[in-house]
Amino acid sequence: MTSEPRGAARGPSQRDLEEEVDELVHLYGLEDDDELGDEFVNENMPRIEVSEYPAYVVAGREPAVEQRDWRLSGEAAETEDLSFGGWGSEGQCQDLREAYRYTHGRASEEYECYVIPEEEDEEDAPDVFCVTCKTPIRALEKVLDEHKEHEVTPLSKALESAKDEIHRNMYRLEKQIIEMENFASHLEEVFITVEENFGRQEQNFESHYNEILETLAQKYEEKIQALVEKKKEKLEALYGQLVSCGENLDTCKELMETVEEICHEEKVDFIKDAVAMADRLRKFLETKTDVEISAQPAVEDQTLDFSDVERLLGSINTIPAPSAPVINPQAPNSATGSSVRVCWSLYSDDTVESYQLSYRPVRDGSPGTDHAESTVTVKETYCSVANLVPNTQYEFRVTAQNRAGLSPASECAVYMTAPSPPVIKSKEVRSCEEAALICWESGNLNPVDSYTVELIQAETPGAWGVTESVVGIPTCESLVQLQPRQSYTIYVRALNVGGPSARSEPATVHTTGSYFRLNEQTCHPWLTISEDGLTAVRSERKTPTREPPPSSTRFTRCVAVMGNLILVRGRHYWEVEVDERSDYTVGVAFEDVPKQEDLGANCLSWCMRHTWAPPRHKYEFLHNKMTPDIRITVSPKKIGILLDYENSKLSFFNVDISQHLYTFSCQLHQFVHPCFSLEKPGCLKIHNGISVPKHVTFY
């Protein structure tokens, strides 16, 4: 149990106590006494209550404590003999040592005091990173310590490198997780397919086994019935013979007895009866007596006909051809830009050995677009078809096959591959402190359903790597809201029914100030725009005598160009580097400003014009051909321009000396764009993506 301190801060009495004890310790030379180690502590040392000092925590159960006032009163300090003899007893010396421990955060071992570490001073904090030891160190250690010969790098750079490495590992881990999830899904489908196939096989075996048993039982009944009838027939024949034989035997015995009786008669009677008896004996003897057995006792061998059973046994492996499979509708996110996952089902108990999946692109009716059909053979009820064209519809048919033959083809199903990654137009990306306008090309010949913009915010403590998404974007540009003074990595995905495309190549957006480029579509033909879109040059070559034809988008009379400022209200600031010996005009104008007029010559533009007629510099702040009477004594080499929509103001500054030059009060009913003009050969260079300087924020 830890006892919490009861005091919140040390009062004056505690400070006095510390000063007095330090003075006594110094007086008696106890500073170097191994910090008043435990060898001086007696087992019976009185315990000290330290709960008034919040910098220390007492561990263990709090014992009963005896408070001791270690302070010396003023009178005692004057009259007490401060020699060692004044504290002559050993207990007093121990008391002094205990007081020293008390005031310096130590007590007896019974209290187990632990000092809560204070925060490191900023001077002691690591400021470089030792690449060899892979640990942060102070720059001083690089010179004096064992890191002298080691490779070091700034701590911020090492931090960024570590963050990048973590990002890469997270991306690889995410990719591996997706692969493992797909593999697990694949294993699950294989498991289900195997289970279904063996289940159907078991049902088939059971059905045939029951049919064989029924056939054998029927054969048994038929054979038993035949044996019973044969037995009955034989027994009845033998019984008939036995009865006939008995009757004949009785007749013979009767005749014999009659003959014997006649033989004992008189002659006359004998003659009479003998004649009649002779006829009777003759007729009896002429009657054929059957003395052969009509039914032999031996049983005929019964040949059992198992042809039906053999046929059934053979039919166990003879299964019918399967019925037509049914292709499932396309599942979300089942496709990539070059592959698609097709799944199908069987609505019967058919046994299938393999499937044949045929596919080809959907015909669009155009001549010469008939594609050859491709076929793959698989054993599962799904197939991932690769090497396809992005954002394209394919029609699929599937047939099932076993040793009995091929099933009918399924109904045609249409699947679609995911789109190709969009291509961000980095030169057209514009931003300010609160938003960015992202533009891209689809990268697909066929239309897609929508786009998603992904933003990864970096360099924010505790929030780097956080991804935000803007979904359901119907066009190839999006104005996204951002946080000020941050850096973002931007990706774009295209979506259709097959799923999202891969990420586009990244683009970086900074929300430190406003960022824009010069719009070449508005550029006068005599001006040349640099590749980065931030410099306009009018060369020394001979100027053509004829002006270009009028245009509604391109400047034709005034040798000018406009900038593509993001269409977001608020405050926008940029700077223009100028040549003080050239004639130039800088300012803002509406997009529909007349391109055949000079800047500042109408009510749609507000400009600062410089004309150099040696040795005089002339500065005008023009709007609708009017300018105030203003003298500028220090010619600016870099002009700062602040456009404030909220207060309807446009201000100009001399950046080098932080001087305010002039402020227009504008009626900005529409969005305006920066504009730049060179009346003579020269160069203007734009600096943007700059935070509003402090001296500008007051205007």
PDB file of all heavy atoms in Angstrom, residues 423-437:
ATOM      1  N   VAL A 423      -5.050   8.972 -62.558  1.00  0.00           N
ATOM      2  CA  VAL A 423      -3.767   9.683 -62.636  1.00  0.00           C
ATOM      3  C   VAL A 423      -3.986  11.108 -62.126  1.00  0.00           C
ATOM      4  O   VAL A 423      -4.724  11.895 -62.736  1.00  0.00           O
ATOM      5  CB  VAL A 423      -3.231   9.708 -64.079  1.00  0.00           C
ATOM      6  CG1 VAL A 423      -1.905  10.468 -64.125  1.00  0.00           C
ATOM      7  CG2 VAL A 423      -3.059   8.294 -64.609  1.00  0.00           C
ATOM      8  N   ILE A 424      -3.389  11.429 -60.980  1.00  0.00           N
ATOM      9  CA  ILE A 424      -3.546  12.759 -60.392  1.00  0.00           C
ATOM     10  C   ILE A 424      -2.779  13.785 -61.231  1.00  0.00           C
ATOM     11  O   ILE A 424      -1.615  13.572 -61.583  1.00  0.00           O
ATOM     12  CB  ILE A 424      -3.054  12.775 -58.939  1.00  0.00           C
ATOM     13  CG1 ILE A 424      -3.895  11.815 -58.075  1.00  0.00           C
ATOM     14  CG2 ILE A 424      -3.116  14.186 -58.357  1.00  0.00           C
ATOM     15  CD1 ILE A 424      -3.455  11.749 -56.633  1.00  0.00           C
ATOM     16  N   LYS A 425      -3.444  14.898 -61.549  1.00  0.00           N
ATOM     17  CA  LYS A 425      -2.791  15.993 -62.279  1.00  0.00           C
ATOM     18  C   LYS A 425      -2.093  16.892 -61.259  1.00  0.00           C
ATOM     19  O   LYS A 425      -2.678  17.836 -60.723  1.00  0.00           O
ATOM     20  CB  LYS A 425      -3.824  16.787 -63.071  1.00  0.00           C
ATOM     21  CG  LYS A 425      -4.584  15.961 -64.110  1.00  0.00           C
ATOM     22  CD  LYS A 425      -5.627  16.828 -64.814  1.00  0.00           C
ATOM     23  CE  LYS A 425      -6.427  16.047 -65.821  1.00  0.00           C
ATOM     24  NZ  LYS A 425      -7.472  16.877 -66.479  1.00  0.00           N
ATOM     25  N   SER A 426      -0.867  16.553 -60.981  1.00  0.00           N
ATOM     26  CA  SER A 426      -0.138  17.273 -59.924  1.00  0.00           C
ATOM     27  C   SER A 426      -0.022  18.757 -60.218  1.00  0.00           C
ATOM     28  O   SER A 426      -0.053  19.590 -59.293  1.00  0.00           O
ATOM     29  CB  SER A 426       1.255  16.661 -59.747  1.00  0.00           C
ATOM     30  OG  SER A 426       1.159  15.308 -59.376  1.00  0.00           O
ATOM     31  N   LYS A 427       0.096  19.130 -61.494  1.00  0.00           N
ATOM     32  CA  LYS A 427       0.249  20.541 -61.834  1.00  0.00           C
ATOM     33  C   LYS A 427      -1.040  21.326 -61.651  1.00  0.00           C
ATOM     34  O   LYS A 427      -1.007  22.555 -61.628  1.00  0.00           O
ATOM     35  CB  LYS A 427       0.733  20.678 -63.279  1.00  0.00           C
ATOM     36  CG  LYS A 427       2.150  20.171 -63.495  1.00  0.00           C
ATOM     37  CD  LYS A 427       2.614  20.436 -64.911  1.00  0.00           C
ATOM     38  CE  LYS A 427       4.059  19.997 -65.112  1.00  0.00           C
ATOM     39  NZ  LYS A 427       4.539  20.272 -66.478  1.00  0.00           N
ATOM     40  N   GLU A 428      -2.168  20.638 -61.536  1.00  0.00           N
ATOM     41  CA  GLU A 428      -3.446  21.329 -61.363  1.00  0.00           C
ATOM     42  C   GLU A 428      -3.956  21.277 -59.931  1.00  0.00           C
ATOM     43  O   GLU A 428      -5.057  21.731 -59.655  1.00  0.00           O
ATOM     44  CB  GLU A 428      -4.485  20.732 -62.315  1.00  0.00           C
ATOM     45  CG  GLU A 428      -4.133  20.914 -63.777  1.00  0.00           C
ATOM     46  CD  GLU A 428      -5.225  20.424 -64.699  1.00  0.00           C
ATOM     47  OE1 GLU A 428      -6.375  20.270 -64.222  1.00  0.00           O
ATOM     48  OE2 GLU A 428      -4.948  20.186 -65.891  1.00  0.00           O
ATOM     49  N   VAL A 429      -3.177  20.683 -59.015  1.00  0.00           N
ATOM     50  CA  VAL A 429      -3.575  20.636 -57.605  1.00  0.00           C
ATOM     51  C   VAL A 429      -3.365  22.010 -56.992  1.00  0.00           C
ATOM     52  O   VAL A 429      -2.285  22.606 -57.105  1.00  0.00           O
ATOM     53  CB  VAL A 429      -2.764  19.568 -56.846  1.00  0.00           C
ATOM     54  CG1 VAL A 429      -3.068  19.640 -55.356  1.00  0.00           C
ATOM     55  CG2 VAL A 429      -3.081  18.179 -57.384  1.00  0.00           C
ATOM     56  N   ARG A 430      -4.406  22.532 -56.361  1.00  0.00           N
ATOM     57  CA  ARG A 430      -4.343  23.832 -55.689  1.00  0.00           C
ATOM     58  C   ARG A 430      -4.777  23.661 -54.245  1.00  0.00           C
ATOM     59  O   ARG A 430      -5.616  22.804 -53.941  1.00  0.00           O
ATOM     60  CB  ARG A 430      -5.258  24.839 -56.382  1.00  0.00           C
ATOM     61  CG  ARG A 430      -4.839  25.194 -57.793  1.00  0.00           C
ATOM     62  CD  ARG A 430      -5.906  26.004 -58.502  1.00  0.00           C
ATOM     63  NE  ARG A 430      -6.895  25.160 -59.161  1.00  0.00           N
ATOM     64  CZ  ARG A 430      -8.026  25.605 -59.663  1.00  0.00           C
ATOM     65  NH1 ARG A 430      -8.339  26.886 -59.552  1.00  0.00           N
ATOM     66  NH2 ARG A 430      -8.856  24.782 -60.266  1.00  0.00           N
ATOM     67  N   SER A 431      -4.220  24.483 -53.368  1.00  0.00           N
ATOM     68  CA  SER A 431      -4.553  24.330 -51.954  1.00  0.00           C
ATOM     69  C   SER A 431      -4.449  25.662 -51.236  1.00  0.00           C
ATOM     70  O   SER A 431      -3.853  26.623 -51.735  1.00  0.00           O
ATOM     71  CB  SER A 431      -3.608  23.311 -51.294  1.00  0.00           C
ATOM     72  OG  SER A 431      -2.277  23.771 -51.334  1.00  0.00           O
ATOM     73  N   CYS A 432      -5.047  25.692 -50.056  1.00  0.00           N
ATOM     74  CA  CYS A 432      -4.908  26.812 -49.127  1.00  0.00           C
ATOM     75  C   CYS A 432      -4.834  26.204 -47.739  1.00  0.00           C
ATOM     76  O   CYS A 432      -4.658  24.993 -47.581  1.00  0.00           O
ATOM     77  CB  CYS A 432      -6.062  27.798 -49.267  1.00  0.00           C
ATOM     78  SG  CYS A 432      -7.689  27.098 -48.895  1.00  0.00           S
ATOM     79  N   GLU A 433      -4.967  27.034 -46.707  1.00  0.00           N
ATOM     80  CA  GLU A 433      -4.795  26.519 -45.357  1.00  0.00           C
ATOM     81  C   GLU A 433      -5.950  25.635 -44.906  1.00  0.00           C
ATOM     82  O   GLU A 433      -5.814  24.898 -43.938  1.00  0.00           O
ATOM     83  CB  GLU A 433      -4.624  27.673 -44.370  1.00  0.00           C
ATOM     84  CG  GLU A 433      -3.300  28.407 -44.506  1.00  0.00           C
ATOM     85  CD  GLU A 433      -3.048  29.329 -43.329  1.00  0.00           C
ATOM     86  OE1 GLU A 433      -3.998  29.558 -42.553  1.00  0.00           O
ATOM     87  OE2 GLU A 433      -1.910  29.800 -43.187  1.00  0.00           O
ATOM     88  N   GLU A 434      -7.086  25.688 -45.584  1.00  0.00           N
ATOM     89  CA  GLU A 434      -8.254  24.946 -45.112  1.00  0.00           C
ATOM     90  C   GLU A 434      -8.772  23.924 -46.110  1.00  0.00           C
ATOM     91  O   GLU A 434      -9.673  23.154 -45.786  1.00  0.00           O
ATOM     92  CB  GLU A 434      -9.390  25.928 -44.774  1.00  0.00           C
ATOM     93  CG  GLU A 434      -9.026  26.899 -43.657  1.00  0.00           C
ATOM     94  CD  GLU A 434     -10.135  27.898 -43.393  1.00  0.00           C
ATOM     95  OE1 GLU A 434     -11.114  27.904 -44.167  1.00  0.00           O
ATOM     96  OE2 GLU A 434     -10.021  28.655 -42.420  1.00  0.00           O
ATOM     97  N   ALA A 435      -8.248  23.895 -47.334  1.00  0.00           N
ATOM     98  CA  ALA A 435      -8.806  22.992 -48.337  1.00  0.00           C
ATOM     99  C   ALA A 435      -7.796  22.781 -49.453  1.00  0.00           C
ATOM    100  O   ALA A 435      -6.768  23.471 -49.543  1.00  0.00           O
ATOM    101  CB  ALA A 435     -10.119  23.538 -48.909  1.00  0.00           C
ATOM    102  N   ALA A 436      -8.109  21.795 -50.292  1.00  0.00           N
ATOM    103  CA  ALA A 436      -7.305  21.527 -51.479  1.00  0.00           C
ATOM    104  C   ALA A 436      -8.231  21.048 -52.585  1.00  0.00           C
ATOM    105  O   ALA A 436      -9.213  20.342 -52.340  1.00  0.00           O
ATOM    106  CB  ALA A 436      -6.226  20.487 -51.195  1.00  0.00           C
ATOM    107  N   LEU A 437      -7.919  21.454 -53.803  1.00  0.00           N
ATOM    108  CA  LEU A 437      -8.659  21.005 -54.985  1.00  0.00           C
ATOM    109  C   LEU A 437      -7.794  19.980 -55.697  1.00  0.00           C
ATOM    110  O   LEU A 437      -6.714  20.302 -56.181  1.00  0.00           O
ATOM    111  CB  LEU A 437      -8.978  22.174 -55.908  1.00  0.00           C
ATOM    112  CG  LEU A 437      -9.747  21.806 -57.182  1.00  0.00           C
ATOM    113  CD1 LEU A 437     -11.142  21.301 -56.832  1.00  0.00           C
ATOM    114  CD2 LEU A 437      -9.850  22.998 -58.131  1.00  0.00           C
TER     115      LEU A 437
END
